Amino acid sequence: MRAVGLHADVIVATSRAFQTTCTLVRSDSEAFCIDSPVFPDELEILPAIAEQAGFGVVGLLATHADWDHLLGRYAFPEAPLGCSETSAARLVNEPGAAQRELRTFDDELYVERPRPLSLPSAQRLDVPGGVEIGDRELVLEAADGHTDDGMAVWIPWARVLVAGDYLSPVEIPMIEGSARAYLATLARLEPLVEQSDYVVPGHGEPLDAVRAAAILREDRAYIKALVEQGEAAKLPLARRTAEQRKIHARNIARVGRPRGPGAGSEPA
Ligand SMILES: [Zn+2]
């Protein structure tokens, strides 16, 4: 696992699995852990990374309720979890889903965990809105489209945007929510990307603002092409691996093909 400091108050750890990112953010004596790495050894070392840097982790945030972002409790078992209303609702409405998907991953890779994943009932945060940390406040923006739930976290004093599963340099847009919502999220994130020093995607290394803006434009073009042309939509140049083509195929199945000129291709 790689860990890099983006700012005196921001550390990003990138997992070996899916390059999933985990962001530690601090203000005063309080720190939050946003999302999580995936492998047990990475989760085990996370408290030491935080402690060495003087980050006292008092809470967990999840950008959305996909299992690979929800493992922070393995590192900080006492910390309460905060997330958007939409993610909290998903955790309630899909009980055990994260645990099942984690088990599937672990079974496939023969990964052993010290204990089953326990997820506390999440604290519902106002999105759009803010959450206090130390003497400062994190800004929360709705970020749905990848899934039907989620939020992005803007750290104003560090000018870091924790985007959730958007703006990834390694993964094309994965549309499990809706294309329309995805495009709206990109439009909401755009002004934050422009004023950021760094953007932390859910998967892949932290990006500077120029690179993140370029990925945002690529992703917008890809989704528009997907909606309008279906299968003929071209994948972004740097993201055309076999795995990305599988995601593309799932996107096509989800978003569907236009039925005729000007026909809406996506169920509302
Ligand atoms: Zn993810």
Side-chain angles (χ1 to χ4, degrees):
M1 182 170 68
R2 270 172 304 156
V4 294
L6 299 185
H7 178 274
D9 292 329
V10 182
I11 297 170
V12 175
T14 306
S15 175
R16 302 192 304 280
F18 315 119
Q19 298 193 36
T20 308
T21 60
C22 168
T23 304
L24 302 172
V25 54
R26 166 180 69 178
S27 172
D28 278 340
S29 57
E30 288 187 354
F32 290 160
C33 169
I34 309 173
D35 292 347
S36 61
V38 175
F39 284 118
D41 61 310
E42 299 173 330
L43 289 155
E44 199 181 306
I45 203 170
L46 201 55
I49 292 174
E51 198 179 335
Q52 271 172 23
F55 284 45
V57 173
V58 296
L60 306 171
L61 297 179
T63 57
H64 60 300
D66 279 356
W67 71 271
D68 52 324
H69 301 262
L70 290 174
L71 308 180
R73 291 275 283 190
Y74 281 115
F76 305 103
E78 306 298 322
L81 171 69
C83 61
S84 68
E85 175 91 38
T86 49
S87 294
R90 208 180 132 194
L91 289 170
V92 170
N93 295 334
E94 301 171 5
Q99 284 87 347
R100 277 194 302 278
E101 286 169 42
L102 173 63
R103 210 172 312 127
T104 302
F105 172 87
D106 287 349
D107 285 351
E108 197 177 323
L109 276 83
Y110 307 163
V111 171
E112 289 177 2
R113 306 265 165 193
R115 56 188 180 277
L117 173 62
S118 82
L119 282 174
S121 58
Q123 191 188 327
R124 292 159 189 247
L125 305 172
D126 284 334
V127 179
V131 58
E132 275 181 31
I133 173 172
D135 56 356
R136 292 191 168 103
E137 194 175 62
L138 299 171
V139 177
L140 308 176
E141 284 289 349
D144 54 326
H146 160 56
T147 53
D148 286 327
D149 65 306
M151 65 181 188
V153 182
W154 171 243
I155 308 168
W157 68 95
R159 302 160 72 89
V160 172
L161 175 64
V162 182
D165 277 5
Y166 301 88
L167 307 177
S168 170
V170 293
E171 191 174 85
I172 62 167
M174 194 187 281
I175 303 167
E176 292 168 355
S178 87
R180 192 176 308 145
Y182 204 116
L183 289 171
T185 289
L186 291 181
R188 266 194 307 277
L189 296 185
E190 198 163 26
L192 294 172
V193 168
E194 278 164 15
Q195 55 186 299
S196 66
D197 285 345
Y198 290 100
V199 172
V200 183
H203 302 273
E205 61 188 335
L207 310 162
D208 64 34
V210 172
R211 187 144 173 245
I215 290 171
L216 193 151
R217 286 192 298 271
E218 280 184 358
D219 287 356
R220 177 182 282 149
Y222 166 72
I223 294 168
K224 285 185 173 169
L226 186 71
V227 170
E228 285 159 16
Q229 306 160 26
E231 233 165 303
K234 295 258 181 302
L235 271 65
L237 257 182
R239 290 173 282 169
R240 288 185 180 172
T241 60
E243 194 56 36
Q244 299 313 302
R245 289 178 194 282
K246 281 188 213 163
I247 296 172
H248 180 51
R250 289 202 297 272
N251 284 341
I252 291 165
R254 170 104 205 162
V255 173
R257 285 199 203 208
R259 280 172 290 274
S265 57
E266 193 193 18

